[in-house]
Amino acid sequence: MVMIGTYKTIAAPVIGEFKDKGSRFIAFAYPVDTADKIKTHVDKLRQEHHKARHWCYAYRLGTEGLRFRANDDGEPSGSAGRPILGQIDSFGVTDVLIVVVRYFGGTLLGVPGLINAYKHAAAEALCQAEIIEKNIEKTAWIICDYPHLSEAIRIAKANNAEVIRQDLALDCRLTVKIPLADYEKCLAAWQDTRHIEVQSEPFPPQ
């Protein structure tokens, strides 16, 4: 079995636009990694574009892409959110939110027309985006005494890992993000020292 150690996402927010029969469909694509960020972006667009008719969106989250949602925001069922999500999947990206703001032009487009419009607006945004590849990472929590702290950090750096938190009290507790491809090797190197304890669960609050 081949281990997939990376995933694709977008580097920065981008905007795309599609017009049909007077209606404007403005697509805003964002890199996101939590549901809280999604709500923040959607709420902000509702405020900034308060004269629009609809704020439809879709997102996919996680390196395995298992968390997703498609929201039609009052458009006919399946005519907005699903086409937006379809473009996220077509581009092969995750940790992405796309919100399409619709300004109604006075002419009904029908369900096929809406599907086409939301699909093309989302695609226009993603075509503007820089698609980047990022490492899938796992988190490890390690404990050691002060004399071995520098060794623990050296091993982390040697395996492309990043120390994202240090709690230095009676002992040294490090929270470390490790690329999936280096995870087992990094853990083995710590354990081989016999001075560094590796945990697979977060430290309890102190």
Side-chain angles (χ1 to χ4, degrees), residues 26-28 55-59 69-72 78-91 96-101 114-115 117-123 126:
I26 310 170
F28 299 83
W55 302 263
C56 306
Y57 65 89
Y59 63 79
R69 185 179 178 189
N71 188 306
D72 295 315
S79 67
R82 278 290 173 183
I84 298 170
L85 183 63
Q87 290 308 297
I88 293 174
D89 294 342
S90 292
F91 278 76
V96 171
L97 162 70
I98 299 179
V99 185
V100 179
V101 177
L114 290 173
I115 292 173
Y118 282 103
K119 171 185 174 181
H120 278 85
L126 289 174

PDB file of all heavy atoms in Angstrom, residues 26-28 55-59 69-72 78-91 96-101 114-115 117-123 126:
ATOM      1  N   ILE A  26     -20.901  35.942  -7.789  1.00  0.00           N
ATOM      2  CA  ILE A  26     -19.530  36.260  -7.372  1.00  0.00           C
ATOM      3  C   ILE A  26     -19.068  35.183  -6.397  1.00  0.00           C
ATOM      4  O   ILE A  26     -19.656  35.006  -5.326  1.00  0.00           O
ATOM      5  CB  ILE A  26     -19.455  37.637  -6.701  1.00  0.00           C
ATOM      6  CG1 ILE A  26     -20.140  38.704  -7.571  1.00  0.00           C
ATOM      7  CG2 ILE A  26     -18.000  38.035  -6.457  1.00  0.00           C
ATOM      8  CD1 ILE A  26     -20.310  40.037  -6.868  1.00  0.00           C
ATOM      9  N   ALA A  27     -18.021  34.464  -6.773  1.00  0.00           N
ATOM     10  CA  ALA A  27     -17.525  33.345  -5.973  1.00  0.00           C
ATOM     11  C   ALA A  27     -16.294  33.768  -5.173  1.00  0.00           C
ATOM     12  O   ALA A  27     -15.329  34.293  -5.730  1.00  0.00           O
ATOM     13  CB  ALA A  27     -17.188  32.167  -6.864  1.00  0.00           C
ATOM     14  N   PHE A  28     -16.348  33.527  -3.883  1.00  0.00           N
ATOM     15  CA  PHE A  28     -15.239  33.810  -2.973  1.00  0.00           C
ATOM     16  C   PHE A  28     -14.710  32.475  -2.447  1.00  0.00           C
ATOM     17  O   PHE A  28     -15.449  31.742  -1.784  1.00  0.00           O
ATOM     18  CB  PHE A  28     -15.697  34.678  -1.809  1.00  0.00           C
ATOM     19  CG  PHE A  28     -16.238  36.024  -2.222  1.00  0.00           C
ATOM     20  CD1 PHE A  28     -17.557  36.157  -2.632  1.00  0.00           C
ATOM     21  CD2 PHE A  28     -15.419  37.146  -2.188  1.00  0.00           C
ATOM     22  CE1 PHE A  28     -18.061  37.392  -3.020  1.00  0.00           C
ATOM     23  CE2 PHE A  28     -15.914  38.388  -2.568  1.00  0.00           C
ATOM     24  CZ  PHE A  28     -17.238  38.515  -2.991  1.00  0.00           C
ATOM     25  N   TRP A  55     -26.597  33.614  -0.684  1.00  0.00           N
ATOM     26  CA  TRP A  55     -25.190  33.401  -0.300  1.00  0.00           C
ATOM     27  C   TRP A  55     -25.002  31.884  -0.168  1.00  0.00           C
ATOM     28  O   TRP A  55     -25.033  31.325   0.924  1.00  0.00           O
ATOM     29  CB  TRP A  55     -24.865  34.089   1.025  1.00  0.00           C
ATOM     30  CG  TRP A  55     -25.120  35.572   1.016  1.00  0.00           C
ATOM     31  CD1 TRP A  55     -24.213  36.568   0.805  1.00  0.00           C
ATOM     32  CD2 TRP A  55     -26.368  36.234   1.257  1.00  0.00           C
ATOM     33  NE1 TRP A  55     -24.810  37.801   0.882  1.00  0.00           N
ATOM     34  CE2 TRP A  55     -26.141  37.630   1.159  1.00  0.00           C
ATOM     35  CE3 TRP A  55     -27.667  35.787   1.530  1.00  0.00           C
ATOM     36  CZ2 TRP A  55     -27.163  38.565   1.322  1.00  0.00           C
ATOM     37  CZ3 TRP A  55     -28.671  36.713   1.697  1.00  0.00           C
ATOM     38  CH2 TRP A  55     -28.415  38.089   1.599  1.00  0.00           C
ATOM     39  N   CYS A  56     -24.841  31.225  -1.284  1.00  0.00           N
ATOM     40  CA  CYS A  56     -24.749  29.762  -1.308  1.00  0.00           C
ATOM     41  C   CYS A  56     -23.286  29.348  -1.138  1.00  0.00           C
ATOM     42  O   CYS A  56     -22.383  30.049  -1.589  1.00  0.00           O
ATOM     43  CB  CYS A  56     -25.289  29.219  -2.623  1.00  0.00           C
ATOM     44  SG  CYS A  56     -26.981  29.785  -2.986  1.00  0.00           S
ATOM     45  N   TYR A  57     -23.078  28.215  -0.503  1.00  0.00           N
ATOM     46  CA  TYR A  57     -21.690  27.831  -0.267  1.00  0.00           C
ATOM     47  C   TYR A  57     -21.532  26.319  -0.167  1.00  0.00           C
ATOM     48  O   TYR A  57     -22.496  25.560  -0.003  1.00  0.00           O
ATOM     49  CB  TYR A  57     -21.155  28.490   1.010  1.00  0.00           C
ATOM     50  CG  TYR A  57     -21.807  28.056   2.300  1.00  0.00           C
ATOM     51  CD1 TYR A  57     -21.320  26.969   3.021  1.00  0.00           C
ATOM     52  CD2 TYR A  57     -22.918  28.739   2.803  1.00  0.00           C
ATOM     53  CE1 TYR A  57     -21.908  26.583   4.221  1.00  0.00           C
ATOM     54  CE2 TYR A  57     -23.514  28.363   3.996  1.00  0.00           C
ATOM     55  CZ  TYR A  57     -22.999  27.278   4.699  1.00  0.00           C
ATOM     56  OH  TYR A  57     -23.596  26.894   5.877  1.00  0.00           O
ATOM     57  N   ALA A  58     -20.271  25.906  -0.253  1.00  0.00           N
ATOM     58  CA  ALA A  58     -19.895  24.509  -0.027  1.00  0.00           C
ATOM     59  C   ALA A  58     -18.472  24.496   0.495  1.00  0.00           C
ATOM     60  O   ALA A  58     -17.684  25.407   0.227  1.00  0.00           O
ATOM     61  CB  ALA A  58     -20.005  23.686  -1.304  1.00  0.00           C
ATOM     62  N   TYR A  59     -18.162  23.451   1.249  1.00  0.00           N
ATOM     63  CA  TYR A  59     -16.787  23.302   1.719  1.00  0.00           C
ATOM     64  C   TYR A  59     -16.452  21.823   1.853  1.00  0.00           C
ATOM     65  O   TYR A  59     -17.331  20.961   1.939  1.00  0.00           O
ATOM     66  CB  TYR A  59     -16.565  24.006   3.060  1.00  0.00           C
ATOM     67  CG  TYR A  59     -17.378  23.480   4.225  1.00  0.00           C
ATOM     68  CD1 TYR A  59     -16.999  22.316   4.907  1.00  0.00           C
ATOM     69  CD2 TYR A  59     -18.511  24.159   4.672  1.00  0.00           C
ATOM     70  CE1 TYR A  59     -17.735  21.847   5.992  1.00  0.00           C
ATOM     71  CE2 TYR A  59     -19.252  23.695   5.747  1.00  0.00           C
ATOM     72  CZ  TYR A  59     -18.855  22.544   6.407  1.00  0.00           C
ATOM     73  OH  TYR A  59     -19.591  22.079   7.468  1.00  0.00           O
ATOM     74  N   ARG A  69     -20.000  20.060   3.302  1.00  0.00           N
ATOM     75  CA  ARG A  69     -21.386  20.515   3.326  1.00  0.00           C
ATOM     76  C   ARG A  69     -21.665  21.301   2.057  1.00  0.00           C
ATOM     77  O   ARG A  69     -20.783  21.976   1.526  1.00  0.00           O
ATOM     78  CB  ARG A  69     -21.664  21.398   4.546  1.00  0.00           C
ATOM     79  CG  ARG A  69     -23.139  21.783   4.667  1.00  0.00           C
ATOM     80  CD  ARG A  69     -23.422  22.641   5.878  1.00  0.00           C
ATOM     81  NE  ARG A  69     -24.829  23.018   5.930  1.00  0.00           N
ATOM     82  CZ  ARG A  69     -25.348  23.896   6.761  1.00  0.00           C
ATOM     83  NH1 ARG A  69     -24.565  24.522   7.633  1.00  0.00           N
ATOM     84  NH2 ARG A  69     -26.633  24.191   6.747  1.00  0.00           N
ATOM     85  N   ALA A  70     -22.900  21.215   1.593  1.00  0.00           N
ATOM     86  CA  ALA A  70     -23.349  21.998   0.443  1.00  0.00           C
ATOM     87  C   ALA A  70     -24.646  22.694   0.839  1.00  0.00           C
ATOM     88  O   ALA A  70     -25.613  22.033   1.221  1.00  0.00           O
ATOM     89  CB  ALA A  70     -23.576  21.100  -0.773  1.00  0.00           C
ATOM     90  N   ASN A  71     -24.680  24.023   0.769  1.00  0.00           N
ATOM     91  CA  ASN A  71     -25.815  24.815   1.233  1.00  0.00           C
ATOM     92  C   ASN A  71     -26.398  25.623   0.075  1.00  0.00           C
ATOM     93  O   ASN A  71     -25.703  26.427  -0.546  1.00  0.00           O
ATOM     94  CB  ASN A  71     -25.363  25.748   2.359  1.00  0.00           C
ATOM     95  CG  ASN A  71     -26.519  26.457   3.028  1.00  0.00           C
ATOM     96  OD1 ASN A  71     -27.320  27.094   2.369  1.00  0.00           O
ATOM     97  ND2 ASN A  71     -26.596  26.374   4.342  1.00  0.00           N
ATOM     98  N   ASP A  72     -27.705  25.422  -0.202  1.00  0.00           N
ATOM     99  CA  ASP A  72     -28.361  26.114  -1.319  1.00  0.00           C
ATOM    100  C   ASP A  72     -28.915  27.488  -0.938  1.00  0.00           C
ATOM    101  O   ASP A  72     -29.303  28.256  -1.825  1.00  0.00           O
ATOM    102  CB  ASP A  72     -29.504  25.253  -1.865  1.00  0.00           C
ATOM    103  CG  ASP A  72     -29.017  23.955  -2.480  1.00  0.00           C
ATOM    104  OD1 ASP A  72     -28.031  23.999  -3.241  1.00  0.00           O
ATOM    105  OD2 ASP A  72     -29.625  22.902  -2.196  1.00  0.00           O
ATOM    106  N   GLY A  78     -30.318  21.386  -4.547  1.00  0.00           N
ATOM    107  CA  GLY A  78     -29.312  20.795  -5.417  1.00  0.00           C
ATOM    108  C   GLY A  78     -28.825  21.678  -6.543  1.00  0.00           C
ATOM    109  O   GLY A  78     -27.976  21.264  -7.336  1.00  0.00           O
ATOM    110  N   SER A  79     -29.319  22.925  -6.598  1.00  0.00           N
ATOM    111  CA  SER A  79     -28.971  23.782  -7.740  1.00  0.00           C
ATOM    112  C   SER A  79     -27.779  24.687  -7.477  1.00  0.00           C
ATOM    113  O   SER A  79     -27.262  25.320  -8.402  1.00  0.00           O
ATOM    114  CB  SER A  79     -30.175  24.657  -8.117  1.00  0.00           C
ATOM    115  OG  SER A  79     -30.453  25.605  -7.089  1.00  0.00           O
ATOM    116  N   ALA A  80     -27.308  24.760  -6.236  1.00  0.00           N
ATOM    117  CA  ALA A  80     -26.232  25.708  -5.905  1.00  0.00           C
ATOM    118  C   ALA A  80     -25.093  25.053  -5.134  1.00  0.00           C
ATOM    119  O   ALA A  80     -23.955  24.991  -5.604  1.00  0.00           O
ATOM    120  CB  ALA A  80     -26.812  26.882  -5.110  1.00  0.00           C
ATOM    121  N   GLY A  81     -25.387  24.582  -3.921  1.00  0.00           N
ATOM    122  CA  GLY A  81     -24.334  24.024  -3.083  1.00  0.00           C
ATOM    123  C   GLY A  81     -23.638  22.834  -3.718  1.00  0.00           C
ATOM    124  O   GLY A  81     -22.401  22.730  -3.696  1.00  0.00           O
ATOM    125  N   ARG A  82     -24.401  21.926  -4.311  1.00  0.00           N
ATOM    126  CA  ARG A  82     -23.808  20.734  -4.917  1.00  0.00           C
ATOM    127  C   ARG A  82     -22.898  21.069  -6.105  1.00  0.00           C
ATOM    128  O   ARG A  82     -21.798  20.510  -6.223  1.00  0.00           O
ATOM    129  CB  ARG A  82     -24.897  19.760  -5.341  1.00  0.00           C
ATOM    130  CG  ARG A  82     -25.411  18.899  -4.209  1.00  0.00           C
ATOM    131  CD  ARG A  82     -24.363  17.885  -3.780  1.00  0.00           C
ATOM    132  NE  ARG A  82     -24.759  17.141  -2.592  1.00  0.00           N
ATOM    133  CZ  ARG A  82     -23.983  16.249  -1.997  1.00  0.00           C
ATOM    134  NH1 ARG A  82     -22.774  16.000  -2.466  1.00  0.00           N
ATOM    135  NH2 ARG A  82     -24.400  15.615  -0.917  1.00  0.00           N
ATOM    136  N   PRO A  83     -23.325  21.956  -7.011  1.00  0.00           N
ATOM    137  CA  PRO A  83     -22.401  22.326  -8.091  1.00  0.00           C
ATOM    138  C   PRO A  83     -21.119  22.991  -7.591  1.00  0.00           C
ATOM    139  O   PRO A  83     -20.051  22.793  -8.170  1.00  0.00           O
ATOM    140  CB  PRO A  83     -23.234  23.305  -8.930  1.00  0.00           C
ATOM    141  CG  PRO A  83     -24.647  22.954  -8.655  1.00  0.00           C
ATOM    142  CD  PRO A  83     -24.673  22.492  -7.231  1.00  0.00           C
ATOM    143  N   ILE A  84     -21.220  23.769  -6.508  1.00  0.00           N
ATOM    144  CA  ILE A  84     -20.022  24.394  -5.934  1.00  0.00           C
ATOM    145  C   ILE A  84     -19.103  23.309  -5.377  1.00  0.00           C
ATOM    146  O   ILE A  84     -17.897  23.295  -5.649  1.00  0.00           O
ATOM    147  CB  ILE A  84     -20.407  25.399  -4.831  1.00  0.00           C
ATOM    148  CG1 ILE A  84     -21.254  26.538  -5.403  1.00  0.00           C
ATOM    149  CG2 ILE A  84     -19.147  25.961  -4.162  1.00  0.00           C
ATOM    150  CD1 ILE A  84     -21.876  27.436  -4.338  1.00  0.00           C
ATOM    151  N   LEU A  85     -19.674  22.382  -4.604  1.00  0.00           N
ATOM    152  CA  LEU A  85     -18.885  21.291  -4.045  1.00  0.00           C
ATOM    153  C   LEU A  85     -18.265  20.449  -5.151  1.00  0.00           C
ATOM    154  O   LEU A  85     -17.119  19.986  -5.038  1.00  0.00           O
ATOM    155  CB  LEU A  85     -19.756  20.414  -3.144  1.00  0.00           C
ATOM    156  CG  LEU A  85     -19.059  19.254  -2.431  1.00  0.00           C
ATOM    157  CD1 LEU A  85     -17.988  19.761  -1.469  1.00  0.00           C
ATOM    158  CD2 LEU A  85     -20.077  18.390  -1.690  1.00  0.00           C
ATOM    159  N   GLY A  86     -19.001  20.263  -6.228  1.00  0.00           N
ATOM    160  CA  GLY A  86     -18.488  19.491  -7.352  1.00  0.00           C
ATOM    161  C   GLY A  86     -17.214  20.080  -7.926  1.00  0.00           C
ATOM    162  O   GLY A  86     -16.316  19.341  -8.352  1.00  0.00           O
ATOM    163  N   GLN A  87     -17.108  21.401  -7.944  1.00  0.00           N
ATOM    164  CA  GLN A  87     -15.892  22.039  -8.453  1.00  0.00           C
ATOM    165  C   GLN A  87     -14.725  21.895  -7.478  1.00  0.00           C
ATOM    166  O   GLN A  87     -13.581  21.703  -7.889  1.00  0.00           O
ATOM    167  CB  GLN A  87     -16.158  23.515  -8.755  1.00  0.00           C
ATOM    168  CG  GLN A  87     -17.055  23.721  -9.960  1.00  0.00           C
ATOM    169  CD  GLN A  87     -16.553  22.969 -11.176  1.00  0.00           C
ATOM    170  OE1 GLN A  87     -15.466  23.233 -11.675  1.00  0.00           O
ATOM    171  NE2 GLN A  87     -17.338  22.013 -11.651  1.00  0.00           N
ATOM    172  N   ILE A  88     -15.009  21.977  -6.189  1.00  0.00           N
ATOM    173  CA  ILE A  88     -13.952  21.723  -5.195  1.00  0.00           C
ATOM    174  C   ILE A  88     -13.369  20.334  -5.431  1.00  0.00           C
ATOM    175  O   ILE A  88     -12.145  20.145  -5.446  1.00  0.00           O
ATOM    176  CB  ILE A  88     -14.517  21.851  -3.766  1.00  0.00           C
ATOM    177  CG1 ILE A  88     -14.920  23.307  -3.479  1.00  0.00           C
ATOM    178  CG2 ILE A  88     -13.494  21.359  -2.739  1.00  0.00           C
ATOM    179  CD1 ILE A  88     -15.620  23.508  -2.137  1.00  0.00           C
ATOM    180  N   ASP A  89     -14.245  19.357  -5.656  1.00  0.00           N
ATOM    181  CA  ASP A  89     -13.786  17.988  -5.871  1.00  0.00           C
ATOM    182  C   ASP A  89     -13.093  17.832  -7.226  1.00  0.00           C
ATOM    183  O   ASP A  89     -12.121  17.085  -7.353  1.00  0.00           O
ATOM    184  CB  ASP A  89     -14.959  17.023  -5.748  1.00  0.00           C
ATOM    185  CG  ASP A  89     -15.525  16.970  -4.338  1.00  0.00           C
ATOM    186  OD1 ASP A  89     -14.824  17.403  -3.397  1.00  0.00           O
ATOM    187  OD2 ASP A  89     -16.675  16.509  -4.179  1.00  0.00           O
ATOM    188  N   SER A  90     -13.588  18.523  -8.242  1.00  0.00           N
ATOM    189  CA  SER A  90     -12.980  18.431  -9.575  1.00  0.00           C
ATOM    190  C   SER A  90     -11.543  18.943  -9.565  1.00  0.00           C
ATOM    191  O   SER A  90     -10.680  18.419 -10.278  1.00  0.00           O
ATOM    192  CB  SER A  90     -13.796  19.216 -10.605  1.00  0.00           C
ATOM    193  OG  SER A  90     -15.043  18.601 -10.833  1.00  0.00           O
ATOM    194  N   PHE A  91     -11.281  19.971  -8.751  1.00  0.00           N
ATOM    195  CA  PHE A  91      -9.939  20.524  -8.656  1.00  0.00           C
ATOM    196  C   PHE A  91      -9.059  19.730  -7.683  1.00  0.00           C
ATOM    197  O   PHE A  91      -7.879  20.017  -7.547  1.00  0.00           O
ATOM    198  CB  PHE A  91      -9.992  21.992  -8.235  1.00  0.00           C
ATOM    199  CG  PHE A  91     -10.278  22.939  -9.378  1.00  0.00           C
ATOM    200  CD1 PHE A  91     -11.560  23.062  -9.890  1.00  0.00           C
ATOM    201  CD2 PHE A  91      -9.262  23.696  -9.940  1.00  0.00           C
ATOM    202  CE1 PHE A  91     -11.837  23.933 -10.948  1.00  0.00           C
ATOM    203  CE2 PHE A  91      -9.519  24.569 -10.995  1.00  0.00           C
ATOM    204  CZ  PHE A  91     -10.810  24.677 -11.498  1.00  0.00           C
ATOM    205  N   VAL A  96     -11.094  23.847   1.880  1.00  0.00           N
ATOM    206  CA  VAL A  96     -11.511  24.946   1.001  1.00  0.00           C
ATOM    207  C   VAL A  96     -12.987  25.239   1.217  1.00  0.00           C
ATOM    208  O   VAL A  96     -13.815  24.332   1.295  1.00  0.00           O
ATOM    209  CB  VAL A  96     -11.262  24.603  -0.482  1.00  0.00           C
ATOM    210  CG1 VAL A  96     -11.896  25.648  -1.404  1.00  0.00           C
ATOM    211  CG2 VAL A  96      -9.771  24.497  -0.775  1.00  0.00           C
ATOM    212  N   LEU A  97     -13.309  26.526   1.303  1.00  0.00           N
ATOM    213  CA  LEU A  97     -14.687  27.021   1.339  1.00  0.00           C
ATOM    214  C   LEU A  97     -14.900  27.915   0.119  1.00  0.00           C
ATOM    215  O   LEU A  97     -14.062  28.752  -0.202  1.00  0.00           O
ATOM    216  CB  LEU A  97     -14.924  27.846   2.604  1.00  0.00           C
ATOM    217  CG  LEU A  97     -16.146  28.785   2.610  1.00  0.00           C
ATOM    218  CD1 LEU A  97     -17.448  27.996   2.662  1.00  0.00           C
ATOM    219  CD2 LEU A  97     -16.066  29.779   3.769  1.00  0.00           C
ATOM    220  N   ILE A  98     -16.027  27.716  -0.575  1.00  0.00           N
ATOM    221  CA  ILE A  98     -16.422  28.633  -1.642  1.00  0.00           C
ATOM    222  C   ILE A  98     -17.827  29.140  -1.351  1.00  0.00           C
ATOM    223  O   ILE A  98     -18.763  28.353  -1.162  1.00  0.00           O
ATOM    224  CB  ILE A  98     -16.400  27.969  -3.031  1.00  0.00           C
ATOM    225  CG1 ILE A  98     -14.991  27.485  -3.369  1.00  0.00           C
ATOM    226  CG2 ILE A  98     -16.884  28.957  -4.094  1.00  0.00           C
ATOM    227  CD1 ILE A  98     -14.892  26.800  -4.729  1.00  0.00           C
ATOM    228  N   VAL A  99     -17.956  30.461  -1.288  1.00  0.00           N
ATOM    229  CA  VAL A  99     -19.258  31.116  -1.118  1.00  0.00           C
ATOM    230  C   VAL A  99     -19.566  31.861  -2.416  1.00  0.00           C
ATOM    231  O   VAL A  99     -18.749  32.657  -2.889  1.00  0.00           O
ATOM    232  CB  VAL A  99     -19.248  32.117   0.050  1.00  0.00           C
ATOM    233  CG1 VAL A  99     -20.650  32.680   0.271  1.00  0.00           C
ATOM    234  CG2 VAL A  99     -18.722  31.464   1.321  1.00  0.00           C
ATOM    235  N   VAL A 100     -20.725  31.589  -3.000  1.00  0.00           N
ATOM    236  CA  VAL A 100     -21.141  32.294  -4.212  1.00  0.00           C
ATOM    237  C   VAL A 100     -22.287  33.236  -3.854  1.00  0.00           C
ATOM    238  O   VAL A 100     -23.355  32.806  -3.424  1.00  0.00           O
ATOM    239  CB  VAL A 100     -21.564  31.327  -5.327  1.00  0.00           C
ATOM    240  CG1 VAL A 100     -22.007  32.119  -6.566  1.00  0.00           C
ATOM    241  CG2 VAL A 100     -20.413  30.387  -5.690  1.00  0.00           C
ATOM    242  N   VAL A 101     -22.032  34.510  -4.016  1.00  0.00           N
ATOM    243  CA  VAL A 101     -23.018  35.553  -3.721  1.00  0.00           C
ATOM    244  C   VAL A 101     -23.775  35.871  -5.007  1.00  0.00           C
ATOM    245  O   VAL A 101     -23.160  36.203  -6.025  1.00  0.00           O
ATOM    246  CB  VAL A 101     -22.322  36.821  -3.194  1.00  0.00           C
ATOM    247  CG1 VAL A 101     -23.338  37.935  -2.968  1.00  0.00           C
ATOM    248  CG2 VAL A 101     -21.565  36.517  -1.905  1.00  0.00           C
ATOM    249  N   LEU A 114     -29.260  27.591 -13.083  1.00  0.00           N
ATOM    250  CA  LEU A 114     -28.616  27.851 -11.784  1.00  0.00           C
ATOM    251  C   LEU A 114     -27.435  26.913 -11.570  1.00  0.00           C
ATOM    252  O   LEU A 114     -26.369  27.337 -11.112  1.00  0.00           O
ATOM    253  CB  LEU A 114     -29.628  27.681 -10.654  1.00  0.00           C
ATOM    254  CG  LEU A 114     -30.720  28.749 -10.557  1.00  0.00           C
ATOM    255  CD1 LEU A 114     -31.755  28.357  -9.511  1.00  0.00           C
ATOM    256  CD2 LEU A 114     -30.123  30.105 -10.226  1.00  0.00           C
ATOM    257  N   ILE A 115     -27.635  25.642 -11.879  1.00  0.00           N
ATOM    258  CA  ILE A 115     -26.532  24.675 -11.742  1.00  0.00           C
ATOM    259  C   ILE A 115     -25.336  25.128 -12.564  1.00  0.00           C
ATOM    260  O   ILE A 115     -24.195  25.129 -12.087  1.00  0.00           O
ATOM    261  CB  ILE A 115     -26.990  23.268 -12.175  1.00  0.00           C
ATOM    262  CG1 ILE A 115     -28.015  22.716 -11.175  1.00  0.00           C
ATOM    263  CG2 ILE A 115     -25.790  22.324 -12.307  1.00  0.00           C
ATOM    264  CD1 ILE A 115     -28.653  21.406 -11.600  1.00  0.00           C
ATOM    265  N   ALA A 117     -24.623  28.180 -13.581  1.00  0.00           N
ATOM    266  CA  ALA A 117     -24.066  29.442 -13.084  1.00  0.00           C
ATOM    267  C   ALA A 117     -23.212  29.228 -11.840  1.00  0.00           C
ATOM    268  O   ALA A 117     -22.092  29.750 -11.742  1.00  0.00           O
ATOM    269  CB  ALA A 117     -25.202  30.422 -12.782  1.00  0.00           C
ATOM    270  N   TYR A 118     -23.726  28.469 -10.870  1.00  0.00           N
ATOM    271  CA  TYR A 118     -22.958  28.248  -9.643  1.00  0.00           C
ATOM    272  C   TYR A 118     -21.706  27.421  -9.916  1.00  0.00           C
ATOM    273  O   TYR A 118     -20.640  27.654  -9.319  1.00  0.00           O
ATOM    274  CB  TYR A 118     -23.833  27.586  -8.573  1.00  0.00           C
ATOM    275  CG  TYR A 118     -24.764  28.566  -7.906  1.00  0.00           C
ATOM    276  CD1 TYR A 118     -26.121  28.624  -8.228  1.00  0.00           C
ATOM    277  CD2 TYR A 118     -24.287  29.468  -6.961  1.00  0.00           C
ATOM    278  CE1 TYR A 118     -26.973  29.539  -7.627  1.00  0.00           C
ATOM    279  CE2 TYR A 118     -25.133  30.386  -6.355  1.00  0.00           C
ATOM    280  CZ  TYR A 118     -26.473  30.429  -6.686  1.00  0.00           C
ATOM    281  OH  TYR A 118     -27.307  31.344  -6.091  1.00  0.00           O
ATOM    282  N   LYS A 119     -21.832  26.464 -10.825  1.00  0.00           N
ATOM    283  CA  LYS A 119     -20.672  25.655 -11.205  1.00  0.00           C
ATOM    284  C   LYS A 119     -19.576  26.516 -11.821  1.00  0.00           C
ATOM    285  O   LYS A 119     -18.401  26.435 -11.429  1.00  0.00           O
ATOM    286  CB  LYS A 119     -21.109  24.575 -12.202  1.00  0.00           C
ATOM    287  CG  LYS A 119     -19.963  23.800 -12.827  1.00  0.00           C
ATOM    288  CD  LYS A 119     -20.479  22.831 -13.884  1.00  0.00           C
ATOM    289  CE  LYS A 119     -19.338  22.149 -14.619  1.00  0.00           C
ATOM    290  NZ  LYS A 119     -19.840  21.217 -15.666  1.00  0.00           N
ATOM    291  N   HIS A 120     -19.955  27.367 -12.769  1.00  0.00           N
ATOM    292  CA  HIS A 120     -18.956  28.182 -13.465  1.00  0.00           C
ATOM    293  C   HIS A 120     -18.365  29.261 -12.564  1.00  0.00           C
ATOM    294  O   HIS A 120     -17.178  29.586 -12.676  1.00  0.00           O
ATOM    295  CB  HIS A 120     -19.560  28.804 -14.730  1.00  0.00           C
ATOM    296  CG  HIS A 120     -19.572  27.861 -15.889  1.00  0.00           C
ATOM    297  ND1 HIS A 120     -20.584  26.952 -16.088  1.00  0.00           N
ATOM    298  CD2 HIS A 120     -18.681  27.677 -16.905  1.00  0.00           C
ATOM    299  CE1 HIS A 120     -20.328  26.242 -17.180  1.00  0.00           C
ATOM    300  NE2 HIS A 120     -19.182  26.655 -17.683  1.00  0.00           N
ATOM    301  N   ALA A 121     -19.169  29.826 -11.684  1.00  0.00           N
ATOM    302  CA  ALA A 121     -18.639  30.832 -10.757  1.00  0.00           C
ATOM    303  C   ALA A 121     -17.582  30.214  -9.851  1.00  0.00           C
ATOM    304  O   ALA A 121     -16.496  30.781  -9.648  1.00  0.00           O
ATOM    305  CB  ALA A 121     -19.771  31.433  -9.927  1.00  0.00           C
ATOM    306  N   ALA A 122     -17.883  29.034  -9.297  1.00  0.00           N
ATOM    307  CA  ALA A 122     -16.923  28.354  -8.428  1.00  0.00           C
ATOM    308  C   ALA A 122     -15.655  27.999  -9.201  1.00  0.00           C
ATOM    309  O   ALA A 122     -14.535  28.162  -8.693  1.00  0.00           O
ATOM    310  CB  ALA A 122     -17.557  27.093  -7.839  1.00  0.00           C
ATOM    311  N   ALA A 123     -15.824  27.531 -10.427  1.00  0.00           N
ATOM    312  CA  ALA A 123     -14.665  27.173 -11.253  1.00  0.00           C
ATOM    313  C   ALA A 123     -13.809  28.392 -11.556  1.00  0.00           C
ATOM    314  O   ALA A 123     -12.572  28.317 -11.559  1.00  0.00           O
ATOM    315  CB  ALA A 123     -15.123  26.502 -12.543  1.00  0.00           C
ATOM    316  N   LEU A 126     -11.618  29.098  -8.525  1.00  0.00           N
ATOM    317  CA  LEU A 126     -10.532  28.137  -8.362  1.00  0.00           C
ATOM    318  C   LEU A 126      -9.482  28.253  -9.458  1.00  0.00           C
ATOM    319  O   LEU A 126      -8.306  27.952  -9.236  1.00  0.00           O
ATOM    320  CB  LEU A 126     -11.098  26.714  -8.299  1.00  0.00           C
ATOM    321  CG  LEU A 126     -11.871  26.389  -7.015  1.00  0.00           C
ATOM    322  CD1 LEU A 126     -12.517  25.013  -7.110  1.00  0.00           C
ATOM    323  CD2 LEU A 126     -10.956  26.465  -5.800  1.00  0.00           C
TER     324      LEU A 126
END
